[in-house]
Short mmCIF file of all heavy atoms in Angstrom, two decimals:
data_model
loop_
_atom_site.label_atom_id
_atom_site.label_comp_id
_atom_site.label_asym_id
_atom_site.label_seq_id
_atom_site.Cartn_x
_atom_site.Cartn_y
_atom_site.Cartn_z
N GLY F 196 -28.58 -11.63 43.47
CA GLY F 196 -29.01 -11.53 44.85
C GLY F 196 -30.51 -11.45 45.06
O GLY F 196 -30.98 -11.35 46.19
N TRP F 197 -31.28 -11.49 43.97
CA TRP F 197 -32.74 -11.47 44.07
C TRP F 197 -33.27 -12.88 44.30
O TRP F 197 -32.66 -13.87 43.87
CB TRP F 197 -33.36 -10.92 42.79
CG TRP F 197 -33.13 -9.47 42.56
CD1 TRP F 197 -32.13 -8.90 41.82
CD2 TRP F 197 -33.91 -8.39 43.07
NE1 TRP F 197 -32.24 -7.54 41.83
CE2 TRP F 197 -33.32 -7.19 42.59
CE3 TRP F 197 -35.05 -8.31 43.88
CZ2 TRP F 197 -33.84 -5.93 42.89
CZ3 TRP F 197 -35.56 -7.06 44.19
CH2 TRP F 197 -34.96 -5.89 43.70
N LYS F 198 -34.44 -12.98 44.95
CA LYS F 198 -35.11 -14.26 45.11
C LYS F 198 -36.27 -14.33 44.12
O LYS F 198 -37.26 -13.62 44.27
CB LYS F 198 -35.66 -14.42 46.53
CG LYS F 198 -36.38 -15.75 46.73
CD LYS F 198 -36.96 -15.89 48.12
CE LYS F 198 -37.68 -17.23 48.26
NZ LYS F 198 -38.27 -17.39 49.62
N PRO F 199 -36.18 -15.18 43.07
CA PRO F 199 -37.29 -15.30 42.13
C PRO F 199 -38.54 -15.86 42.81
O PRO F 199 -38.46 -16.83 43.58
CB PRO F 199 -36.76 -16.29 41.09
CG PRO F 199 -35.27 -16.22 41.22
CD PRO F 199 -35.02 -15.97 42.68
N LEU F 200 -39.67 -15.23 42.56
CA LEU F 200 -40.94 -15.67 43.13
C LEU F 200 -41.83 -16.35 42.11
O LEU F 200 -42.50 -17.32 42.42
CB LEU F 200 -41.67 -14.48 43.76
CG LEU F 200 -40.97 -13.75 44.90
CD1 LEU F 200 -41.84 -12.60 45.38
CD2 LEU F 200 -40.67 -14.71 46.04
N SER F 201 -41.88 -15.81 40.91
CA SER F 201 -42.72 -16.41 39.87
C SER F 201 -42.20 -16.02 38.49
O SER F 201 -41.60 -14.97 38.31
CB SER F 201 -44.18 -15.96 40.02
OG SER F 201 -44.32 -14.58 39.75
N THR F 202 -42.46 -16.90 37.53
CA THR F 202 -42.13 -16.66 36.13
C THR F 202 -43.35 -17.03 35.30
O THR F 202 -43.85 -18.15 35.41
CB THR F 202 -40.92 -17.50 35.68
OG1 THR F 202 -39.77 -17.09 36.42
CG2 THR F 202 -40.64 -17.31 34.20
N ARG F 203 -43.82 -16.10 34.49
CA ARG F 203 -45.05 -16.31 33.72
C ARG F 203 -44.76 -16.14 32.24
O ARG F 203 -44.26 -15.10 31.80
CB ARG F 203 -46.11 -15.31 34.17
CG ARG F 203 -47.45 -15.47 33.47
CD ARG F 203 -48.46 -14.50 34.05
NE ARG F 203 -49.78 -14.67 33.47
CZ ARG F 203 -50.85 -13.96 33.83
NH1 ARG F 203 -50.74 -13.03 34.77
NH2 ARG F 203 -52.02 -14.19 33.26
N SER F 204 -45.08 -17.17 31.46
CA SER F 204 -44.93 -17.12 30.01
C SER F 204 -46.14 -16.44 29.39
O SER F 204 -47.29 -16.70 29.78
CB SER F 204 -44.77 -18.53 29.46
OG SER F 204 -44.82 -18.54 28.05
N LEU F 205 -45.90 -15.57 28.42
CA LEU F 205 -46.97 -14.85 27.73
C LEU F 205 -46.96 -15.20 26.25
O LEU F 205 -45.90 -15.22 25.62
CB LEU F 205 -46.79 -13.34 27.91
CG LEU F 205 -46.75 -12.80 29.33
CD1 LEU F 205 -46.33 -11.35 29.34
CD2 LEU F 205 -48.10 -12.96 30.02
N CYS F 206 -48.15 -15.46 25.72
CA CYS F 206 -48.29 -15.72 24.28
C CYS F 206 -47.36 -16.85 23.83
O CYS F 206 -46.68 -16.74 22.81
CB CYS F 206 -48.02 -14.44 23.50
SG CYS F 206 -48.79 -14.39 21.86
N GLY F 207 -47.34 -17.92 24.62
CA GLY F 207 -46.55 -19.08 24.23
C GLY F 207 -45.06 -18.91 24.29
O GLY F 207 -44.33 -19.61 23.59
N GLY F 208 -44.58 -17.97 25.10
CA GLY F 208 -43.14 -17.76 25.24
C GLY F 208 -42.58 -16.59 24.46
O GLY F 208 -41.37 -16.37 24.47
N VAL F 209 -43.47 -15.84 23.80
CA VAL F 209 -43.00 -14.62 23.12
C VAL F 209 -42.42 -13.64 24.13
O VAL F 209 -41.45 -12.94 23.86
CB VAL F 209 -44.16 -13.97 22.33
CG1 VAL F 209 -43.77 -12.59 21.81
CG2 VAL F 209 -44.56 -14.86 21.16
N ALA F 210 -43.02 -13.61 25.31
CA ALA F 210 -42.53 -12.74 26.38
C ALA F 210 -42.72 -13.45 27.71
O ALA F 210 -43.45 -14.44 27.81
CB ALA F 210 -43.26 -11.40 26.37
N PHE F 211 -42.05 -12.93 28.75
CA PHE F 211 -42.14 -13.49 30.09
C PHE F 211 -42.25 -12.35 31.10
O PHE F 211 -41.69 -11.27 30.89
CB PHE F 211 -40.90 -14.32 30.43
CG PHE F 211 -40.80 -15.63 29.72
CD1 PHE F 211 -40.34 -15.69 28.41
CD2 PHE F 211 -41.15 -16.81 30.35
CE1 PHE F 211 -40.23 -16.90 27.74
CE2 PHE F 211 -41.04 -18.03 29.69
CZ PHE F 211 -40.59 -18.07 28.38
N ILE F 212 -42.94 -12.62 32.20
CA ILE F 212 -42.94 -11.71 33.34
C ILE F 212 -42.27 -12.43 34.50
O ILE F 212 -42.65 -13.55 34.86
CB ILE F 212 -44.36 -11.28 33.74
CG1 ILE F 212 -44.96 -10.36 32.67
CG2 ILE F 212 -44.35 -10.55 35.09
CD1 ILE F 212 -46.39 -9.94 32.94
N TYR F 213 -41.27 -11.79 35.07
CA TYR F 213 -40.53 -12.33 36.22
C TYR F 213 -40.80 -11.46 37.44
O TYR F 213 -40.67 -10.23 37.36
CB TYR F 213 -39.02 -12.34 35.94
CG TYR F 213 -38.64 -13.02 34.65
CD1 TYR F 213 -38.53 -12.28 33.46
CD2 TYR F 213 -38.39 -14.38 34.60
CE1 TYR F 213 -38.18 -12.90 32.27
CE2 TYR F 213 -38.04 -15.01 33.40
CZ TYR F 213 -37.93 -14.27 32.24
OH TYR F 213 -37.59 -14.87 31.06
N ILE F 214 -41.15 -12.07 38.54
CA ILE F 214 -41.34 -11.37 39.80
C ILE F 214 -40.30 -11.88 40.79
O ILE F 214 -40.14 -13.10 40.96
CB ILE F 214 -42.75 -11.58 40.38
CG1 ILE F 214 -43.82 -11.21 39.36
CG2 ILE F 214 -42.92 -10.77 41.68
CD1 ILE F 214 -43.85 -9.74 38.99
N ALA F 215 -39.58 -10.98 41.43
CA ALA F 215 -38.54 -11.35 42.39
C ALA F 215 -38.60 -10.40 43.59
O ALA F 215 -39.24 -9.35 43.54
CB ALA F 215 -37.16 -11.30 41.73
N ARG F 216 -37.92 -10.80 44.66
CA ARG F 216 -37.94 -10.02 45.90
C ARG F 216 -36.54 -9.87 46.48
O ARG F 216 -35.71 -10.76 46.35
CB ARG F 216 -38.86 -10.67 46.93
CG ARG F 216 -38.91 -9.97 48.28
CD ARG F 216 -39.86 -10.66 49.22
NE ARG F 216 -41.22 -10.63 48.70
CZ ARG F 216 -42.16 -11.53 48.99
NH1 ARG F 216 -41.86 -12.56 49.75
NH2 ARG F 216 -43.37 -11.41 48.49
#
Side-chain angles (χ1 to χ4, degrees):
W197 291 94
K198 180 182 180 181
L200 299 180
S201 67
T202 296
R203 182 176 184 179
S204 171
L205 302 170
C206 204
V209 170
F211 288 80
I212 291 177
Y213 308 92
I214 306 294
R216 178 178 298 153

